[in-house]
Amino acid sequence: MSTKNKILDAAESLFADKGFNGTSLREITSLAEVNLAAVNYHFGSKKELIKSVMSRYMDELAPNLVAALEDICDHPEQPTLIEVFSAFIEPLLSLNVFRQNGTSNFLQLLGRGYTDSQGFLRWFFTTQYPGVISNFVLAVQKSYPELTPEEIFWRLHFTMGTVVFAMSSSDALMDIAKNDFDKNLDIADVIQKVIPYVAAGVAAPINK
Amino acid sequence: MSTKNKILDAAESLFADKGFNGTSLREITSLAEVNLAAVNYHFGSKKELIKSVMSRYMDELAPNLVAALEDICDHPEQPTLIEVFSAFIEPLLSLNVFRQNGTSNFLQLLGRGYTDSQGFLRWFFTTQYPGVISNFVLAVQKSYPELTPEEIFWRLHFTMGTVVFAMSSSDALMDIAKNDFDKNLDIADVIQKVIPYVAAGVAAPINK
DNA sequence: CATGTTTTAAAACGCTTGTTTAAACTGACT
DNA sequence: AGTCAGTTTAAACAAGCGTTTTAAAACATG
């Protein structure tokens, strides 16, 4: 495996675990078993390394996501919100074959991107991958036309928060569930649990 | 105002803005206009300062929250989930008279506590303020008895995620809402928007 | 006023951070 | 063999970090 990819893999798992601020280049390079200077040689800076880690996932995920959402929009009949959200399942779970723990790593990184680094990653996503968001809004609008664009805006961000947060603590939650309820769940089960929740949330009656 | 309180106030707003990891003691003391060494003199360490900032809010909030939830449990008739979640509104908004921007600062800090510092604050909350969580579970169970304890567990964590995440990026979201929809919202408006969402999410039909 | 304690002040501590330098190595192509 | 771009290495850099030290100032108590 190339030095570049060793760095990306090590950075990914450390970033997901401890955040961008909380991970030093020296931790990354020693986990990757490469020289410290290799990061700046191959990526230029830590900030560019962060972007590269995220791009590797987004470039894989975005086309699948857009395609799945376009399918829903092109379909003649009106979709349910459950169907809209379910469009995310297969592309997200396919990240697990793309990379070990890909799904949960990516979702954790997504959460970090929103809270760490004062939102420079939020800018990165919305400018680099606008198609995902706009197609998602279109699909929701088709499913629930009474919802105003403003209300969609808010509820989509609430949904983003729910999913990202649930997934970033999914390891801890699955452990608790195993202890308290004797249920052995995996990331796919958690996704199945969160979909009815967010679908109902987006479909909530509008508060006057 | 005392040096101690000047430090607490400065730390609070910087922590909310840039996270615990992302804020240095030098930033705090220069905003507070006190000497750098004052932090370690009054608080012992940065970690203890973080705890103090959080305790100042939790000590104010927890009794009000527990009382409001106990009211609901003691009431003879069955509450709606909207009523359960609305029990949080007044205690949360009262933080605004307790301190400027108290509500949003506190909720942002809560979000930081879950994602920064690898969950040592999560331990802090659950061990120091267990009454809030248990009373919340009781109130939800009274409102929606068909929900199994396991499903309550998952949905309460989803709710936690929604609220914490929404609030920790509420500043950015309110800015976008102002630009895109020409609406000037404050933290109380965001709370009003999130309640129907989480109430509907918790009330979602159970997936078989 | 004198005393002992609490609080502030400036400076330095040792350490870690991201980044840069310059030399050494690697593997092809003429 | 010799050249040369591409890559890796060890070492150092300046800057920032949390914390500690030392001494002066402020304070309250007798």
Side-chain angles (χ1 to χ4, degrees):
Chain A
M1 175 173 326
S2 70
T3 299
K4 208 167 172 173
N5 278 322
K6 282 198 273 187
I7 294 174
L8 283 171
D9 287 351
E12 170 185 322
S13 87
L14 288 171
F15 283 156
D17 223 45
K18 324 171 28 153
F20 303 115
N21 284 341
T23 305
S24 72
L25 294 186
R26 282 168 179 81
E27 291 180 87
I28 293 170
T29 53
S30 86
L31 177 62
E33 295 179 308
V34 304
N35 189 273
L36 167 63
V39 171
N40 284 281
Y41 174 76
H42 284 285
F43 299 95
S45 70
K46 184 180 182 181
K47 207 165 197 169
E48 287 300 318
L49 170 62
I50 296 174
K51 281 198 211 169
S52 296
V53 169
M54 297 313 293
S55 296
R56 195 164 62 147
Y57 273 112
M58 287 301 280
D59 292 344
E60 170 79 14
L61 183 65
N64 296 340
L65 232 42
V66 170
L69 291 167
E70 276 174 348
D71 269 5
I72 289 180
C73 289
D74 292 348
H75 217 258
E77 36 201 286
Q78 189 185 43
T80 66
L81 279 174
I82 295 274
E83 284 166 344
V84 173
F85 285 106
S86 295
F88 283 78
I89 295 181
E90 196 263 318
L92 277 177
L93 288 183
S94 82
L95 297 179
N96 266 336
V97 316
F98 176 60
R99 205 168 303 286
Q100 190 151 24
N101 288 117
T103 306
S104 73
N105 270 5
F106 169 72
L107 289 168
Q108 284 182 249
L109 290 170
L110 201 61
R112 300 292 185 182
Y114 262 71
T115 52
D116 281 16
S117 64
Q118 281 173 300
F120 103 87
L121 271 177
R122 189 189 332 227
W123 164 88
F124 178 67
F125 291 134
T126 50
T127 57
Q128 299 297 306
Y129 306 94
V132 176
I133 298 169
S134 59
N135 275 90
F136 188 26
V137 172
L138 284 178
V140 170
Q141 267 176 330
K142 185 174 185 188
S143 161
Y144 190 174
E146 298 86 354
L147 218 53
T148 64
E150 190 198 349
E151 211 63 44
I152 290 184
F153 162 81
W154 284 103
R155 294 185 178 183
L156 289 193
H157 276 93
F158 295 159
T159 299
M160 190 76 135
T162 311
V163 173
V164 160
F165 193 92
M167 295 308 153
S168 63
S169 37
S170 62
D171 286 348
L173 296 182
M174 288 187 292
D175 278 354
I176 301 172
K178 184 177 179 182
N179 277 342
D180 291 7
F181 310 108
D182 208 37
K183 288 261 184 80
N184 250 330
L185 305 176
D186 62 15
I187 193 81
D189 296 316
V190 179
I191 293 179
Q192 289 292 352
K193 282 191 179 298
V194 82
I195 284 182
Y197 182 97
V198 294
V202 173
I206 295 154
N207 205 356
K208 295 274 85 176
Chain B
M1 176 174 322
S2 70
T3 299
K4 207 166 172 174
N5 279 322
K6 282 198 273 187
I7 293 174
L8 283 171
D9 288 350
E12 170 183 322
S13 87
L14 288 172
F15 282 156
D17 222 45
K18 322 171 32 152
F20 302 117
N21 284 341
T23 305
S24 72
L25 294 185
R26 284 168 177 81
E27 290 179 90
I28 293 170
T29 53
S30 85
L31 175 63
E33 295 179 306
V34 305
N35 189 272
L36 168 63
V39 171
N40 284 283
Y41 173 75
H42 284 285
F43 298 95
S45 70
K46 185 180 181 181
K47 207 165 196 168
E48 287 300 318
L49 170 63
I50 296 174
K51 281 199 211 167
S52 296
V53 168
M54 297 312 293
S55 296
R56 196 165 62 149
Y57 273 112
M58 286 301 279
D59 292 344
E60 170 79 14
L61 184 65
N64 296 340
L65 232 43
V66 171
L69 290 168
E70 277 175 347
D71 269 6
I72 289 181
C73 290
D74 292 348
H75 217 258
E77 39 203 284
Q78 188 186 44
T80 66
L81 279 172
I82 294 275
E83 284 166 344
V84 173
F85 285 108
S86 296
F88 284 79
I89 295 181
E90 196 261 318
L92 277 175
L93 289 182
S94 82
L95 297 178
N96 267 335
V97 317
F98 176 60
R99 205 168 305 287
Q100 189 153 25
N101 288 118
T103 306
S104 74
N105 272 4
F106 168 71
L107 289 168
Q108 285 182 249
L109 290 170
L110 200 63
R112 300 291 185 184
Y114 263 70
T115 52
D116 281 17
S117 64
Q118 279 174 300
F120 102 88
L121 271 178
R122 193 192 324 230
W123 163 88
F124 178 66
F125 291 133
T126 50
T127 56
Q128 299 297 305
Y129 307 94
V132 176
I133 297 170
S134 58
N135 276 90
F136 188 29
V137 173
L138 285 178
V140 170
Q141 268 176 329
K142 184 174 186 189
S143 161
Y144 190 174
E146 299 87 352
L147 218 54
T148 65
E150 191 197 348
E151 211 62 44
I152 290 185
F153 162 80
W154 284 103
R155 293 185 179 182
L156 288 194
H157 277 92
F158 295 160
T159 300
M160 191 72 137
T162 311
V163 173
V164 159
F165 196 92
M167 294 310 154
S168 62
S169 37
S170 62
D171 285 348
L173 296 181
M174 287 188 290
D175 278 353
I176 300 172
K178 185 176 178 182
N179 277 342
D180 291 8
F181 311 108
D182 209 36
K183 287 262 184 76
N184 250 330
L185 304 177
D186 61 16
I187 194 78
D189 296 317
V190 180
I191 293 179
Q192 289 292 352
K193 282 187 180 301
V194 82
I195 284 183
Y197 182 97
V198 294
V202 173
I206 296 155
N207 205 357
K208 296 273 85 181

